[in-house]
């Protein structure tokens, strides 16, 4: 903004502050209707470098975000500072409670934490004790992430979380041990894929059990004016299915392609002489996959979906279908990967004569 001879610098600054006071810090920087926009968004908030940010700077980010939401912008604040504060806030604070999350459970720790566990699972897959130990470590990490990013609106009981943790760990260990026994005579590469099968099986069990209350009671459904009109078990089931798919997609490239790469590298004369470096190399390569796959998996599905019908579900009677242009399911928190549904919004109905297809299919607004 240029300053003419009749304007004072103070007046210019006041104008800038007035503009920033109306700045919507919660508005996404990138178009969330597109896959690329969602990937950019999650690249921003899963940046592993934010794990190293000092506590004092995180506290500054929280204060800055809260003041911006109230329309109070400190003098001299730039837009870049507000965006950086929001990045730190999203990476370290719970969106529902505003409490600072433990470091291991933060979204920004997904890459460093995941690369270590994935690398060692892929390296130590031959012996039974190593398989059991690293599958237990992986499920313990997942349980901590789930607990840290739990939905404050529909809290999960300690008993439910413990049951989910035990079941997922048992499933992962049983799958890994069973497949190891079945693949003893198979090519070595097949044995290297066992950890991925165990992780995928555990995700299919762990996430639905963690969100079983939503499957039983449904998730809140609102109309276009944000008025609650009921609960939908169907929307909850769709959201949980997408969580499972996202989690498996996040792990798939690294845990499928990395064994192929290591199988070839280990045949090289140089690699045979430095076996001690095999595990660190797998950890490093796992990080290379995860640094891209974490945001890609988180942005795989749009954060808002629509249903052709909303079913008002009664506890005593069968479900009654009610026409509705769509139940918008808003995923307010990707537990990184536990992108379970938080609320649903039923948008305004379409004109009754616009479409003859009145099925209850699930379709995206985008």
């Amino acid at each position: 903004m240029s300053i003419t001879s009749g304007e004072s610098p103070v007046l210019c600054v006041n104008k800038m502050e007035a503009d920033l006071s109306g700045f919507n810090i919660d508005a996404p920087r990138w178009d969330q209707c597109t896959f690329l926009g969602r990937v950019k968004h999650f690249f921003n908030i899963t940046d592993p470098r934010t794990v190293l940010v000092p506590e004092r700077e995180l506290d500054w980010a929280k204060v800055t975000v809260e003041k911006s939401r109230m329309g109070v912008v400190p003098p001299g604040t730039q837009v870049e500072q507000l965006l950086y504060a929001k990045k730190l806030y999203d990476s370290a604070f719970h969106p529902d409670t505003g409490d600072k999350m433990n470091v291991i459970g933060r979204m920004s720790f997904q890459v460093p934490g995941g690369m270590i566990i994935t690398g060692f699972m892929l390296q130590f897959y031959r012996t039974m004790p190593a398989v059991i130990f690293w599958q237990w470590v992986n499920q313990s990490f997942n349980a901590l992430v789930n607990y840290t990013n739990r939905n404050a609106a529909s809290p999960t009981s300690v008993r439910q979380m413990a049951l989910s943790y035990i079941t997922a760990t048992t499933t992962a260990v049983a799958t890994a041990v069973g497949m190891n026994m079945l693949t003893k005579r198979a090519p070595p590469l097949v044995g290297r894929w066992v950890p991925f099968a165990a992780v995928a099986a555990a995700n299919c069990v762990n996430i639905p059990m963690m969100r079983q209350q939503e499957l039983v009671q449904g998730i809140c459904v609102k109309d276009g004016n944000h008025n609650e009109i009921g609960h939908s078990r169907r929307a909850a089931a769709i959201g949980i299915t997408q969580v499972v798919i996202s989690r498996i997609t996040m792990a798939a490239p690294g845990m499928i392609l990395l064994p192929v790469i290591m199988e070839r590298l280990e045949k090289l004369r140089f690699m045979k002489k430095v076996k001690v470096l095999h595990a660190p190399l797998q950890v490093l390569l796992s990080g290379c996959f995860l640094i891209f796959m974490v945001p890609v998996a988180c942005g795989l599905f749009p954060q808002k979906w629509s249903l052709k019908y909303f079913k008002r579900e009664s506890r005593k009677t069968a479900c009654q279908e009610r026409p509705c242009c769509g139940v918008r399911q808003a995923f307010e928190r990707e537990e990184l990967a536990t992108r379970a549904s938080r609320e649903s919004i039923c948008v305004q109905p379409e004109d009754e004569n616009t479409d003859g297809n009145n099925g209850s299919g699930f379709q995206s607004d985008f």
Side-chain angles (χ1 to χ4, degrees), residues 277-353:
L277 296 180
H278 288 190
L281 178 61
Q282 294 218 62
V283 170
L284 179 63
L285 293 176
S286 296
C288 293
F289 279 102
L290 286 176
I291 202 168
F292 291 101
M293 288 311 302
V294 167
V296 167
C298 290
L300 190 62
F301 296 101
Q303 291 179 305
K304 294 181 180 180
W305 289 85
S306 65
L307 290 170
K308 193 69 176 177
Y309 281 90
F310 164 60
K311 295 183 179 181
R312 185 180 293 278
E313 298 167 1
S314 171
R315 293 182 179 180
K316 297 182 179 180
T317 60
C319 298
Q320 280 188 322
E321 287 192 342
R322 183 165 84 84
C324 177
C325 170
V327 177
R328 279 187 168 287
Q329 184 175 353
F331 297 91
E332 295 182 337
R333 179 69 175 171
E334 174 132 347
E335 291 176 6
L336 170 57
T338 58
R339 287 176 50 88
S341 54
R342 291 303 177 90
E343 64 175 8
S344 298
I345 301 174
C346 179
V347 298
Q348 296 297 329
E350 293 174 342
D351 186 272
E352 295 180 355
N353 300 322

Side-chain angles (χ1 to χ4, degrees), residues 114 117-118 121 133-143 172 198-199 202:
I117 296 173
T118 302
M121 278 197 301
F133 175 75
W134 286 108
Q135 288 296 333
W136 169 75
V137 170
N138 183 52
Q139 293 307 317
S140 298
F141 176 70
N142 288 339
V199 169

Side-chain angles (χ1 to χ4, degrees), residues 29-46:
R29 295 175 59 184
W30 298 278
D31 184 4
Q32 297 300 287
C33 297
T34 65
F35 172 69
L36 183 59
R38 296 191 297 272
V39 170
K40 288 181 179 179
H41 170 72
F42 285 106
F43 254 120
N44 188 50
I45 64 176
T46 61

Side-chain angles (χ1 to χ4, degrees), residues 226-281:
H226 299 275
N227 299 315
E228 182 178 338
I229 59 174
H231 289 76
S232 172
R233 291 192 294 265
R234 180 173 170 233
I238 294 171
I240 291 171
T241 301
Q242 292 179 350
V243 173
V244 174
I245 295 173
S246 296
R247 282 287 189 91
I248 295 176
T249 301
M250 188 185 301
M255 299 191 78
I256 292 176
L257 298 179
L258 189 52
V260 178
I261 296 173
M262 290 303 299
E263 184 75 11
R264 297 193 176 187
L265 288 178
E266 289 177 0
K267 294 178 181 179
L268 300 178
R269 183 178 302 178
F270 167 74
M271 290 295 291
K272 291 179 180 179
K273 296 179 180 179
V274 290
K275 291 186 178 181
V276 69
L277 296 180
H278 288 190
L281 178 61

Side-chain angles (χ1 to χ4, degrees), residues 80-191:
E80 291 76 12
Q81 291 176 300
L82 294 179
L83 295 177
Y84 179 66
K86 187 60 163 60
K87 174 180 179 177
L88 295 183
Y89 182 88
D90 287 342
S91 69
F93 294 90
H94 197 283
D96 295 340
T97 64
D99 296 334
K100 188 182 298 180
M101 299 183 288
N102 68 78
V103 175
I104 297 177
R106 295 175 188 173
M107 297 186 72
S108 53
F109 194 78
Q110 292 302 308
V111 173
M115 66 186 281
I116 295 172
I117 296 173
T118 302
F120 282 108
M121 278 197 301
L122 294 177
Q123 177 63 27
F124 303 107
Y125 68 95
R126 294 181 177 89
T127 64
M128 201 69 66
V131 169
I132 295 174
F133 175 75
W134 286 108
Q135 288 296 333
W136 169 75
V137 170
N138 183 52
Q139 293 307 317
S140 298
F141 176 70
N142 288 339
L144 182 57
V145 172
N146 291 337
Y147 174 78
T148 303
N149 295 277
R150 63 194 181 281
N151 187 346
S154 58
T156 304
S157 67
V158 176
R159 180 181 178 277
Q160 184 178 340
M161 294 188 68
L163 181 62
S164 174
Y165 168 66
I166 294 172
T167 306
T169 303
T170 303
T171 302
V173 171
T175 303
V177 172
M179 293 193 67
N180 266 350
M181 296 177 65
L182 293 174
T183 58
K184 284 184 176 179
R185 297 183 180 180
L189 183 59
V190 177

